[in-house]
Amino acid sequence: MSGFDPRTTLARPDLADRGLEGLLRAARFEAPRRMQCCAPSAAIRKAADKDAELQDQLLFGEGFDVLDQADGWAWGQARRDGYVGFVDQASLAKYEDAPTHRVRALRTFGFARPDLKSQASGPYSMNALVVVEREEGAFLDAGAAGWIPTRHLAPIGEVETDPASVAERFVDTPYLWGGRDSLGLDCSGLVQQAFYACGLACPRDTDQQMAAFPRAVAPGELERGDLAFWKGHVGMMLDWERMVHANAHHMAVVIEPLAEATTRIAAAGAGQPTGFRRPWSFAT
């Protein structure tokens, strides 16, 4: 598999995605089966073991292409960010219809009936995907997710315009390695969620993000929405001076002066920033 990133390549020596035939070696090639997350969130793990490293997460309604299933685990690839890993089969269901709405609130609940006093399920995190079937009062019927408050959903295509504002909404969310939902997320998961809410693609890990956004920015030219990178870490600038980032020092998403973070990270042995990037311009 030389030249292929194993994090985003659905292949191993014994089995690979049929679409990769002729590009790499494998004992056999098969077509993956499209499924979707039916739990509020589901772990994508490095191995078929509940104690294995959490590498990424699926949110409700997100697609997962399954290539192999064994012992209660599905091995496949997340359709949204391409990450490959193992997911508990109980968290997956047959893919039905394309989503019509996404969760716009930081998190929300689905109710058994269009009544806030009825039984609740969830919580469903920002950017979870649902299919709305009907409307009643202040609720939308999102099928298996339940009746969700109308104000907490946005039609697919209706997006935010400021990733930094989205990232700020996660302040105080606990840090979780490999997480990307509203109950816990890591530095690159925070950046990814902010861009998804704005309708923009974003890879999962910090090195992938830095490579995906090639427009370099000098430290003295930083603006809101720019990204500051270290080896294994990323933060999003709120202005030329402050950034918001999920980090293991605070074990939470915090707003911190860039200069203070730079000094602290260097003192911990992680070195100086490896670069600054301007992903997109959001000027109107």
Side-chain angles (χ1 to χ4, degrees):
M1 287 177 54
S2 178
F4 290 88
D5 188 336
R7 294 172 295 181
T8 54
T9 305
L10 189 53
R12 60 194 194 200
D14 67 312
L15 179 63
D17 184 344
R18 183 172 294 167
L20 296 171
E21 192 167 6
L23 300 176
L24 48 74
R25 290 179 178 271
R28 72 183 195 277
F29 295 86
E30 295 184 4
R33 181 162 60 100
R34 186 172 181 180
M35 301 187 77
Q36 66 185 50
C37 182
C38 61
S41 66
I44 300 178
R45 298 196 180 276
K46 193 171 185 177
D49 186 326
K50 64 181 178 60
D51 293 325
E53 179 186 335
L54 175 66
Q55 296 181 297
D56 196 1
Q57 286 180 313
L58 292 173
L59 302 184
F60 185 89
E62 290 185 330
F64 190 70
D65 290 339
V66 176
L67 198 55
D68 190 27
Q69 292 178 278
D71 302 321
W73 292 91
W75 179 69
Q77 184 170 31
R79 293 185 67 91
R80 211 169 193 178
D81 64 17
Y83 227 95
V84 170
F86 292 85
V87 174
D88 185 340
Q89 285 184 211
S91 298
L92 299 173
K94 179 182 177 182
Y95 177 81
E96 296 292 347
D97 300 310
T100 62
H101 290 68
R102 66 173 180 86
V103 173
R104 72 190 312 169
L106 186 62
R107 68 182 68 91
T108 189
F109 288 96
F111 296 89
R113 302 186 304 279
D115 178 356
L116 58 82
K117 296 181 181 179
S118 64
Q119 184 176 355
S121 62
Y124 302 101
S125 292
M126 179 185 290
N127 294 322
L129 302 172
V130 299
V131 177
V132 168
E133 300 176 355
R134 53 182 169 152
E135 181 175 5
E136 186 171 326
F139 292 84
L140 294 174
D141 181 2
W147 291 85
I148 296 178
T150 302
R151 67 177 58 195
H152 288 175
L153 296 177
I156 296 297
E158 183 179 304
V159 297
E160 305 285 343
T161 58
D162 181 11
S165 291
V166 177
E168 285 182 284
R169 292 164 62 185
F170 285 88
V171 167
D172 293 331
T173 299
Y175 179 88
L176 178 65
W177 176 272
R180 53 171 284 255
D181 70 12
S182 66
L183 299 179
L185 73 179
D186 60 19
C187 62
S188 54
L190 174 65
V191 169
Q192 188 184 59
Q193 284 290 71
F195 285 135
Y196 280 172
C198 294
L200 299 164
C202 182
R204 181 60 180 89
D205 291 341
T206 54
D207 63 316
Q208 297 168 325
Q209 291 175 355
M210 189 171 182
F213 310 136
R215 184 179 175 187
V217 181
E221 299 174 348
L222 290 171
E223 296 178 358
R224 185 175 181 85
D226 289 344
L227 301 178
F229 287 95
W230 289 259
K231 184 178 180 180
H233 188 60
V234 61
M236 181 176 291
M237 301 304 299
L238 299 179
D239 49 39
W240 66 272
E241 181 181 26
R242 301 171 304 138
M243 72 174 183
V244 58
H245 62 145
N247 66 90
H249 175 79
H250 295 96
M251 288 304 295
V253 177
V254 299
I255 295 173
E256 185 176 18
L258 173 62
E260 289 186 15
T262 298
T263 299
R264 174 173 53 74
I265 292 171
Q272 295 295 314
T274 54
F276 301 92
R277 296 290 188 268
R278 181 160 299 157
W280 295 278
S281 172
F282 292 88
T284 55

mmCIF file of all heavy atoms in Angstrom, residues 188-234:
data_model
loop_
_atom_site.group_PDB
_atom_site.id
_atom_site.type_symbol
_atom_site.label_atom_id
_atom_site.label_comp_id
_atom_site.label_asym_id
_atom_site.label_seq_id
_atom_site.Cartn_x
_atom_site.Cartn_y
_atom_site.Cartn_z
ATOM 1 N N SER A 188 -8.581 18.824 16.030
ATOM 2 C CA SER A 188 -8.940 18.767 14.617
ATOM 3 C C SER A 188 -10.425 18.477 14.438
ATOM 4 O O SER A 188 -11.035 18.882 13.445
ATOM 5 C CB SER A 188 -8.101 17.707 13.894
ATOM 6 O OG SER A 188 -8.197 16.446 14.538
ATOM 7 N N GLY A 189 -11.023 17.766 15.419
ATOM 8 C CA GLY A 189 -12.465 17.535 15.374
ATOM 9 C C GLY A 189 -13.238 18.835 15.496
ATOM 10 O O GLY A 189 -14.273 19.018 14.838
ATOM 11 N N LEU A 190 -12.757 19.755 16.321
ATOM 12 C CA LEU A 190 -13.393 21.066 16.464
ATOM 13 C C LEU A 190 -13.343 21.835 15.148
ATOM 14 O O LEU A 190 -14.351 22.397 14.698
ATOM 15 C CB LEU A 190 -12.690 21.861 17.560
ATOM 16 C CG LEU A 190 -13.153 23.308 17.745
ATOM 17 C CD1 LEU A 190 -14.601 23.366 18.221
ATOM 18 C CD2 LEU A 190 -12.238 24.044 18.726
ATOM 19 N N VAL A 191 -12.184 21.862 14.514
ATOM 20 C CA VAL A 191 -12.040 22.557 13.231
ATOM 21 C C VAL A 191 -12.952 21.918 12.191
ATOM 22 O O VAL A 191 -13.652 22.610 11.432
ATOM 23 C CB VAL A 191 -10.567 22.525 12.770
ATOM 24 C CG1 VAL A 191 -10.439 22.995 11.324
ATOM 25 C CG2 VAL A 191 -9.710 23.395 13.680
ATOM 26 N N GLN A 192 -12.974 20.593 12.153
ATOM 27 C CA GLN A 192 -13.801 19.899 11.177
ATOM 28 C C GLN A 192 -15.280 20.218 11.372
ATOM 29 O O GLN A 192 -16.004 20.509 10.410
ATOM 30 C CB GLN A 192 -13.572 18.390 11.292
ATOM 31 C CG GLN A 192 -14.234 17.582 10.189
ATOM 32 C CD GLN A 192 -14.051 16.090 10.405
ATOM 33 O OE1 GLN A 192 -14.464 15.547 11.424
ATOM 34 N NE2 GLN A 192 -13.419 15.425 9.448
ATOM 35 N N GLN A 193 -15.759 20.202 12.605
ATOM 36 C CA GLN A 193 -17.159 20.502 12.875
ATOM 37 C C GLN A 193 -17.512 21.933 12.469
ATOM 38 O O GLN A 193 -18.597 22.194 11.929
ATOM 39 C CB GLN A 193 -17.471 20.284 14.353
ATOM 40 C CG GLN A 193 -17.592 18.821 14.741
ATOM 41 C CD GLN A 193 -18.838 18.186 14.169
ATOM 42 O OE1 GLN A 193 -18.949 17.952 12.963
ATOM 43 N NE2 GLN A 193 -19.797 17.916 15.031
ATOM 44 N N ALA A 194 -16.603 22.866 12.733
ATOM 45 C CA ALA A 194 -16.855 24.263 12.364
ATOM 46 C C ALA A 194 -17.001 24.423 10.857
ATOM 47 O O ALA A 194 -17.890 25.131 10.371
ATOM 48 C CB ALA A 194 -15.729 25.151 12.901
ATOM 49 N N PHE A 195 -16.158 23.735 10.093
ATOM 50 C CA PHE A 195 -16.237 23.842 8.642
ATOM 51 C C PHE A 195 -17.440 23.093 8.083
ATOM 52 O O PHE A 195 -18.082 23.553 7.138
ATOM 53 C CB PHE A 195 -14.942 23.345 7.992
ATOM 54 C CG PHE A 195 -13.800 24.313 8.120
ATOM 55 C CD1 PHE A 195 -12.539 23.889 8.491
ATOM 56 C CD2 PHE A 195 -13.985 25.660 7.891
ATOM 57 C CE1 PHE A 195 -11.486 24.792 8.619
ATOM 58 C CE2 PHE A 195 -12.943 26.578 8.016
ATOM 59 C CZ PHE A 195 -11.692 26.133 8.378
ATOM 60 N N TYR A 196 -17.753 21.942 8.648
ATOM 61 C CA TYR A 196 -18.942 21.223 8.195
ATOM 62 C C TYR A 196 -20.188 22.077 8.343
ATOM 63 O O TYR A 196 -21.068 22.073 7.467
ATOM 64 C CB TYR A 196 -19.122 19.935 9.007
ATOM 65 C CG TYR A 196 -18.267 18.778 8.573
ATOM 66 C CD1 TYR A 196 -18.228 17.613 9.337
ATOM 67 C CD2 TYR A 196 -17.494 18.809 7.419
ATOM 68 C CE1 TYR A 196 -17.456 16.519 8.957
ATOM 69 C CE2 TYR A 196 -16.716 17.734 7.037
ATOM 70 C CZ TYR A 196 -16.704 16.585 7.816
ATOM 71 O OH TYR A 196 -15.935 15.508 7.440
ATOM 72 N N ALA A 197 -20.303 22.799 9.456
ATOM 73 C CA ALA A 197 -21.478 23.639 9.685
ATOM 74 C C ALA A 197 -21.581 24.742 8.641
ATOM 75 O O ALA A 197 -22.673 25.280 8.404
ATOM 76 C CB ALA A 197 -21.434 24.244 11.083
ATOM 77 N N CYS A 198 -20.461 25.063 8.014
ATOM 78 C CA CYS A 198 -20.438 26.085 6.967
ATOM 79 C C CYS A 198 -20.516 25.467 5.576
ATOM 80 O O CYS A 198 -20.297 26.154 4.565
ATOM 81 C CB CYS A 198 -19.174 26.941 7.103
ATOM 82 S SG CYS A 198 -19.135 27.935 8.615
ATOM 83 N N GLY A 199 -20.800 24.180 5.521
ATOM 84 C CA GLY A 199 -20.962 23.516 4.233
ATOM 85 C C GLY A 199 -19.664 23.262 3.500
ATOM 86 O O GLY A 199 -19.659 23.131 2.274
ATOM 87 N N LEU A 200 -18.558 23.150 4.252
ATOM 88 C CA LEU A 200 -17.246 23.014 3.636
ATOM 89 C C LEU A 200 -16.588 21.705 4.047
ATOM 90 O O LEU A 200 -16.627 21.316 5.216
ATOM 91 C CB LEU A 200 -16.354 24.195 4.051
ATOM 92 C CG LEU A 200 -16.892 25.564 3.621
ATOM 93 C CD1 LEU A 200 -16.183 26.670 4.382
ATOM 94 C CD2 LEU A 200 -16.709 25.751 2.126
ATOM 95 N N ALA A 201 -15.985 21.034 3.096
ATOM 96 C CA ALA A 201 -15.284 19.783 3.378
ATOM 97 C C ALA A 201 -14.053 20.054 4.226
ATOM 98 O O ALA A 201 -13.425 21.115 4.116
ATOM 99 C CB ALA A 201 -14.884 19.098 2.068
ATOM 100 N N CYS A 202 -13.717 19.088 5.065
ATOM 101 C CA CYS A 202 -12.534 19.241 5.910
ATOM 102 C C CYS A 202 -12.040 17.868 6.319
ATOM 103 O O CYS A 202 -12.816 17.064 6.842
ATOM 104 C CB CYS A 202 -12.874 20.071 7.150
ATOM 105 S SG CYS A 202 -11.469 20.381 8.247
ATOM 106 N N PRO A 203 -10.759 17.549 6.095
ATOM 107 C CA PRO A 203 -10.235 16.258 6.530
ATOM 108 C C PRO A 203 -10.183 16.160 8.053
ATOM 109 O O PRO A 203 -10.420 17.132 8.763
ATOM 110 C CB PRO A 203 -8.846 16.199 5.894
ATOM 111 C CG PRO A 203 -8.482 17.612 5.613
ATOM 112 C CD PRO A 203 -9.753 18.354 5.382
ATOM 113 N N ARG A 204 -9.841 14.970 8.543
ATOM 114 C CA ARG A 204 -9.987 14.685 9.972
ATOM 115 C C ARG A 204 -8.793 15.108 10.829
ATOM 116 O O ARG A 204 -8.967 15.699 11.889
ATOM 117 C CB ARG A 204 -10.262 13.180 10.170
ATOM 118 C CG ARG A 204 -10.469 12.759 11.621
ATOM 119 C CD ARG A 204 -11.653 13.496 12.217
ATOM 120 N NE ARG A 204 -11.899 13.141 13.609
ATOM 121 C CZ ARG A 204 -11.340 13.752 14.646
ATOM 122 N NH1 ARG A 204 -10.471 14.718 14.455
ATOM 123 N NH2 ARG A 204 -11.654 13.392 15.870
ATOM 124 N N ASP A 205 -7.579 14.782 10.426
ATOM 125 C CA ASP A 205 -6.417 14.975 11.290
ATOM 126 C C ASP A 205 -5.656 16.255 10.957
ATOM 127 O O ASP A 205 -5.774 16.805 9.857
ATOM 128 C CB ASP A 205 -5.478 13.772 11.182
ATOM 129 C CG ASP A 205 -6.085 12.519 11.795
ATOM 130 O OD1 ASP A 205 -7.032 12.644 12.593
ATOM 131 O OD2 ASP A 205 -5.603 11.408 11.478
ATOM 132 N N THR A 206 -4.840 16.713 11.910
ATOM 133 C CA THR A 206 -4.161 17.998 11.756
ATOM 134 C C THR A 206 -3.237 18.032 10.545
ATOM 135 O O THR A 206 -3.200 19.031 9.823
ATOM 136 C CB THR A 206 -3.358 18.341 13.030
ATOM 137 O OG1 THR A 206 -2.466 17.269 13.350
ATOM 138 C CG2 THR A 206 -4.286 18.565 14.201
ATOM 139 N N ASP A 207 -2.471 16.964 10.313
ATOM 140 C CA ASP A 207 -1.557 16.972 9.171
ATOM 141 C C ASP A 207 -2.334 16.993 7.859
ATOM 142 O O ASP A 207 -1.920 17.642 6.886
ATOM 143 C CB ASP A 207 -0.602 15.778 9.224
ATOM 144 C CG ASP A 207 -1.328 14.438 9.124
ATOM 145 O OD1 ASP A 207 -2.368 14.271 9.796
ATOM 146 O OD2 ASP A 207 -0.866 13.559 8.370
ATOM 147 N N GLN A 208 -3.485 16.296 7.829
ATOM 148 C CA GLN A 208 -4.327 16.304 6.636
ATOM 149 C C GLN A 208 -4.912 17.692 6.406
ATOM 150 O O GLN A 208 -5.008 18.161 5.262
ATOM 151 C CB GLN A 208 -5.448 15.281 6.791
ATOM 152 C CG GLN A 208 -4.991 13.847 6.900
ATOM 153 C CD GLN A 208 -6.106 12.918 7.330
ATOM 154 O OE1 GLN A 208 -6.979 13.283 8.121
ATOM 155 N NE2 GLN A 208 -6.104 11.705 6.813
ATOM 156 N N GLN A 209 -5.313 18.352 7.473
ATOM 157 C CA GLN A 209 -5.882 19.687 7.354
ATOM 158 C C GLN A 209 -4.838 20.691 6.866
ATOM 159 O O GLN A 209 -5.122 21.514 5.979
ATOM 160 C CB GLN A 209 -6.467 20.132 8.698
ATOM 161 C CG GLN A 209 -7.707 19.346 9.100
ATOM 162 C CD GLN A 209 -8.225 19.696 10.482
ATOM 163 O OE1 GLN A 209 -7.615 20.475 11.214
ATOM 164 N NE2 GLN A 209 -9.347 19.108 10.857
ATOM 165 N N MET A 210 -3.641 20.615 7.405
ATOM 166 C CA MET A 210 -2.597 21.546 6.976
ATOM 167 C C MET A 210 -2.279 21.353 5.499
ATOM 168 O O MET A 210 -2.082 22.314 4.756
ATOM 169 C CB MET A 210 -1.347 21.374 7.829
ATOM 170 C CG MET A 210 -0.292 22.451 7.578
ATOM 171 S SD MET A 210 1.048 22.370 8.789
ATOM 172 C CE MET A 210 2.043 23.775 8.246
ATOM 173 N N ALA A 211 -2.251 20.090 5.051
ATOM 174 C CA ALA A 211 -1.969 19.810 3.644
ATOM 175 C C ALA A 211 -3.110 20.242 2.740
ATOM 176 O O ALA A 211 -2.891 20.637 1.588
ATOM 177 C CB ALA A 211 -1.682 18.318 3.459
ATOM 178 N N ALA A 212 -4.341 20.183 3.264
ATOM 179 C CA ALA A 212 -5.511 20.515 2.448
ATOM 180 C C ALA A 212 -5.673 22.018 2.243
ATOM 181 O O ALA A 212 -6.335 22.438 1.293
ATOM 182 C CB ALA A 212 -6.773 19.949 3.099
ATOM 183 N N PHE A 213 -5.077 22.804 3.124
ATOM 184 C CA PHE A 213 -5.221 24.262 3.053
ATOM 185 C C PHE A 213 -3.849 24.873 2.803
ATOM 186 O O PHE A 213 -3.137 25.262 3.729
ATOM 187 C CB PHE A 213 -5.804 24.802 4.359
ATOM 188 C CG PHE A 213 -7.051 24.080 4.816
ATOM 189 C CD1 PHE A 213 -7.212 23.724 6.141
ATOM 190 C CD2 PHE A 213 -8.049 23.750 3.914
ATOM 191 C CE1 PHE A 213 -8.361 23.068 6.564
ATOM 192 C CE2 PHE A 213 -9.198 23.088 4.326
ATOM 193 C CZ PHE A 213 -9.358 22.746 5.656
ATOM 194 N N PRO A 214 -3.427 24.958 1.550
ATOM 195 C CA PRO A 214 -2.053 25.337 1.241
ATOM 196 C C PRO A 214 -1.731 26.831 1.340
ATOM 197 O O PRO A 214 -0.564 27.205 1.259
ATOM 198 C CB PRO A 214 -1.890 24.855 -0.207
ATOM 199 C CG PRO A 214 -3.266 24.960 -0.789
ATOM 200 C CD PRO A 214 -4.189 24.593 0.337
ATOM 201 N N ARG A 215 -2.739 27.681 1.509
ATOM 202 C CA ARG A 215 -2.463 29.121 1.516
ATOM 203 C C ARG A 215 -1.830 29.540 2.843
ATOM 204 O O ARG A 215 -2.492 29.677 3.859
ATOM 205 C CB ARG A 215 -3.744 29.924 1.270
ATOM 206 C CG ARG A 215 -3.493 31.422 1.167
ATOM 207 C CD ARG A 215 -4.770 32.192 0.908
ATOM 208 N NE ARG A 215 -4.534 33.628 0.923
ATOM 209 C CZ ARG A 215 -5.493 34.551 0.854
ATOM 210 N NH1 ARG A 215 -6.766 34.177 0.738
ATOM 211 N NH2 ARG A 215 -5.201 35.832 0.887
ATOM 212 N N ALA A 216 -0.520 29.747 2.838
ATOM 213 C CA ALA A 216 0.206 30.127 4.048
ATOM 214 C C ALA A 216 -0.034 31.602 4.385
ATOM 215 O O ALA A 216 -0.213 32.439 3.499
ATOM 216 C CB ALA A 216 1.693 29.870 3.866
ATOM 217 N N VAL A 217 -0.027 31.891 5.697
ATOM 218 C CA VAL A 217 -0.220 33.250 6.193
ATOM 219 C C VAL A 217 0.890 33.557 7.182
ATOM 220 O O VAL A 217 1.250 32.712 8.011
ATOM 221 C CB VAL A 217 -1.591 33.394 6.886
ATOM 222 C CG1 VAL A 217 -1.804 34.821 7.372
ATOM 223 C CG2 VAL A 217 -2.718 32.985 5.958
ATOM 224 N N ALA A 218 1.437 34.748 7.121
ATOM 225 C CA ALA A 218 2.458 35.165 8.080
ATOM 226 C C ALA A 218 1.803 35.461 9.427
ATOM 227 O O ALA A 218 0.650 35.906 9.478
ATOM 228 C CB ALA A 218 3.185 36.407 7.570
ATOM 229 N N PRO A 219 2.525 35.220 10.536
ATOM 230 C CA PRO A 219 1.944 35.462 11.861
ATOM 231 C C PRO A 219 1.393 36.878 12.029
ATOM 232 O O PRO A 219 0.366 37.071 12.693
ATOM 233 C CB PRO A 219 3.119 35.208 12.804
ATOM 234 C CG PRO A 219 3.987 34.242 12.057
ATOM 235 C CD PRO A 219 3.865 34.637 10.622
ATOM 236 N N GLY A 220 2.013 37.851 11.421
ATOM 237 C CA GLY A 220 1.557 39.227 11.550
ATOM 238 C C GLY A 220 0.345 39.566 10.703
ATOM 239 O O GLY A 220 -0.181 40.677 10.780
ATOM 240 N N GLU A 221 -0.121 38.608 9.875
ATOM 241 C CA GLU A 221 -1.254 38.853 8.984
ATOM 242 C C GLU A 221 -2.474 38.006 9.339
ATOM 243 O O GLU A 221 -3.411 37.893 8.557
ATOM 244 C CB GLU A 221 -0.836 38.554 7.542
ATOM 245 C CG GLU A 221 0.313 39.422 7.050
ATOM 246 C CD GLU A 221 0.802 39.007 5.667
ATOM 247 O OE1 GLU A 221 0.399 37.907 5.203
ATOM 248 O OE2 GLU A 221 1.586 39.762 5.060
ATOM 249 N N LEU A 222 -2.473 37.416 10.523
ATOM 250 C CA LEU A 222 -3.552 36.519 10.910
ATOM 251 C C LEU A 222 -4.890 37.226 11.008
ATOM 252 O O LEU A 222 -4.976 38.362 11.483
ATOM 253 C CB LEU A 222 -3.218 35.851 12.251
ATOM 254 C CG LEU A 222 -2.081 34.828 12.206
ATOM 255 C CD1 LEU A 222 -1.687 34.410 13.605
ATOM 256 C CD2 LEU A 222 -2.493 33.620 11.376
ATOM 257 N N GLU A 223 -5.934 36.518 10.565
ATOM 258 C CA GLU A 223 -7.294 37.038 10.602
ATOM 259 C C GLU A 223 -8.229 35.977 11.170
ATOM 260 O O GLU A 223 -7.853 34.817 11.342
ATOM 261 C CB GLU A 223 -7.759 37.408 9.183
ATOM 262 C CG GLU A 223 -6.982 38.525 8.535
ATOM 263 C CD GLU A 223 -7.459 38.810 7.120
ATOM 264 O OE1 GLU A 223 -8.373 38.090 6.646
ATOM 265 O OE2 GLU A 223 -6.915 39.736 6.493
ATOM 266 N N ARG A 224 -9.447 36.390 11.450
ATOM 267 C CA ARG A 224 -10.460 35.482 11.958
ATOM 268 C C ARG A 224 -10.677 34.320 10.980
ATOM 269 O O ARG A 224 -10.796 34.526 9.767
ATOM 270 C CB ARG A 224 -11.768 36.238 12.150
ATOM 271 C CG ARG A 224 -12.901 35.434 12.807
ATOM 272 C CD ARG A 224 -14.094 36.332 13.063
ATOM 273 N NE ARG A 224 -15.198 35.616 13.700
ATOM 274 C CZ ARG A 224 -15.327 35.408 14.997
ATOM 275 N NH1 ARG A 224 -14.394 35.881 15.825
ATOM 276 N NH2 ARG A 224 -16.364 34.762 15.495
ATOM 277 N N GLY A 225 -10.693 33.095 11.511
ATOM 278 C CA GLY A 225 -10.887 31.916 10.683
ATOM 279 C C GLY A 225 -9.614 31.260 10.213
ATOM 280 O O GLY A 225 -9.649 30.128 9.699
ATOM 281 N N ASP A 226 -8.461 31.930 10.357
ATOM 282 C CA ASP A 226 -7.190 31.302 9.999
ATOM 283 C C ASP A 226 -6.873 30.182 10.979
ATOM 284 O O ASP A 226 -7.363 30.157 12.119
ATOM 285 C CB ASP A 226 -6.059 32.331 10.020
ATOM 286 C CG ASP A 226 -6.143 33.326 8.874
ATOM 287 O OD1 ASP A 226 -6.883 33.062 7.906
ATOM 288 O OD2 ASP A 226 -5.476 34.381 8.950
ATOM 289 N N LEU A 227 -6.031 29.255 10.546
ATOM 290 C CA LEU A 227 -5.663 28.116 11.375
ATOM 291 C C LEU A 227 -4.196 28.188 11.770
ATOM 292 O O LEU A 227 -3.336 28.481 10.936
ATOM 293 C CB LEU A 227 -5.926 26.806 10.623
ATOM 294 C CG LEU A 227 -7.367 26.559 10.184
ATOM 295 C CD1 LEU A 227 -7.459 25.253 9.405
ATOM 296 C CD2 LEU A 227 -8.321 26.539 11.375
ATOM 297 N N ALA A 228 -3.932 27.916 13.044
ATOM 298 C CA ALA A 228 -2.566 27.863 13.566
ATOM 299 C C ALA A 228 -2.227 26.405 13.845
ATOM 300 O O ALA A 228 -2.971 25.719 14.564
ATOM 301 C CB ALA A 228 -2.456 28.684 14.842
ATOM 302 N N PHE A 229 -1.124 25.931 13.274
ATOM 303 C CA PHE A 229 -0.751 24.532 13.403
ATOM 304 C C PHE A 229 0.535 24.344 14.198
ATOM 305 O O PHE A 229 1.479 25.132 14.078
ATOM 306 C CB PHE A 229 -0.538 23.911 12.014
ATOM 307 C CG PHE A 229 -1.810 23.676 11.241
ATOM 308 C CD1 PHE A 229 -2.255 24.618 10.325
ATOM 309 C CD2 PHE A 229 -2.554 22.519 11.421
ATOM 310 C CE1 PHE A 229 -3.419 24.412 9.600
ATOM 311 C CE2 PHE A 229 -3.719 22.301 10.712
ATOM 312 C CZ PHE A 229 -4.161 23.251 9.796
ATOM 313 N N TRP A 230 0.551 23.288 14.992
ATOM 314 C CA TRP A 230 1.744 22.742 15.609
ATOM 315 C C TRP A 230 1.817 21.280 15.190
ATOM 316 O O TRP A 230 0.870 20.766 14.571
ATOM 317 C CB TRP A 230 1.663 22.805 17.134
ATOM 318 C CG TRP A 230 1.766 24.170 17.728
ATOM 319 C CD1 TRP A 230 2.877 24.733 18.319
ATOM 320 C CD2 TRP A 230 0.724 25.141 17.847
ATOM 321 N NE1 TRP A 230 2.583 25.986 18.777
ATOM 322 C CE2 TRP A 230 1.269 26.275 18.508
ATOM 323 C CE3 TRP A 230 -0.622 25.188 17.467
ATOM 324 C CZ2 TRP A 230 0.526 27.408 18.788
ATOM 325 C CZ3 TRP A 230 -1.358 26.322 17.732
ATOM 326 C CH2 TRP A 230 -0.787 27.413 18.379
ATOM 327 N N LYS A 231 2.879 20.586 15.528
ATOM 328 C CA LYS A 231 2.938 19.167 15.261
ATOM 329 C C LYS A 231 1.872 18.472 16.106
ATOM 330 O O LYS A 231 1.951 18.439 17.330
ATOM 331 C CB LYS A 231 4.322 18.605 15.592
ATOM 332 C CG LYS A 231 4.461 17.140 15.235
ATOM 333 C CD LYS A 231 5.862 16.623 15.534
ATOM 334 C CE LYS A 231 5.982 15.154 15.167
ATOM 335 N NZ LYS A 231 7.342 14.618 15.446
ATOM 336 N N GLY A 232 0.826 17.972 15.450
ATOM 337 C CA GLY A 232 -0.240 17.274 16.150
ATOM 338 C C GLY A 232 -1.269 18.157 16.805
ATOM 339 O O GLY A 232 -2.083 17.673 17.612
ATOM 340 N N HIS A 233 -1.303 19.438 16.466
ATOM 341 C CA HIS A 233 -2.293 20.324 17.094
ATOM 342 C C HIS A 233 -2.702 21.432 16.124
ATOM 343 O O HIS A 233 -1.936 21.828 15.241
ATOM 344 C CB HIS A 233 -1.719 20.943 18.369
ATOM 345 C CG HIS A 233 -2.746 21.699 19.169
ATOM 346 N ND1 HIS A 233 -3.875 21.101 19.682
ATOM 347 C CD2 HIS A 233 -2.826 23.019 19.505
ATOM 348 C CE1 HIS A 233 -4.597 22.013 20.323
ATOM 349 N NE2 HIS A 233 -3.995 23.175 20.221
ATOM 350 N N VAL A 234 -3.939 21.930 16.318
ATOM 351 C CA VAL A 234 -4.448 23.026 15.492
ATOM 352 C C VAL A 234 -5.413 23.868 16.312
ATOM 353 O O VAL A 234 -6.128 23.360 17.177
ATOM 354 C CB VAL A 234 -5.147 22.488 14.217
ATOM 355 C CG1 VAL A 234 -6.345 21.613 14.570
ATOM 356 C CG2 VAL A 234 -5.572 23.622 13.296
#
